[in-house]
Amino acid sequence: MSFVRFGVNSIKYPDLLSLYTWIGAWIEGRMELEYWDPVTGLPDQLVLTATHAGLVLGAIMLVFAALATWSFAKRDAA
């Protein structure tokens, strides 16, 4: 697990890469992510709303649907 976290240490909000964060924000309607600046010690907050989460999850579903359609069309043409 440490080698995975090694690459995301430079990202301000690494939880944005998790699908569970977006699903949780969509179900709950709102999710707050916090980032504590190591230099100043002050928190920075990012708020995800159900609208943002719905758009991201919808885009992911569209990408998977397009890939499935392309895969079936490629298979049937062969």
Side-chain angles (χ1 to χ4, degrees):
M1 182 67 172
S2 63
F3 64 92
V4 174
R5 298 293 284 176
F6 178 73
V8 296
N9 282 339
S10 62
I11 298 175
K12 191 172 184 180
Y13 298 104
D15 291 336
L16 290 177
L17 299 176
S18 174
L19 188 60
Y20 296 113
T21 301
W22 294 102
I23 292 172
W26 185 56
I27 291 173
E28 296 290 327
R30 176 183 172 101
M31 182 174 283
E32 298 176 0
L33 302 175
E34 288 188 354
Y35 170 75
W36 292 87
D37 191 1
V39 176
T40 62
L42 298 174
D44 190 16
Q45 195 171 37
L46 175 69
V47 177
L48 300 176
T49 63
T51 305
H52 294 123
L55 289 173
V56 169
L57 293 173
I60 292 171
M61 293 300 295
L62 282 174
V63 167
F64 278 115
L67 288 173
T69 303
W70 175 74
S71 174
F72 282 125
K74 185 178 176 183
R75 182 197 67 176
D76 291 342

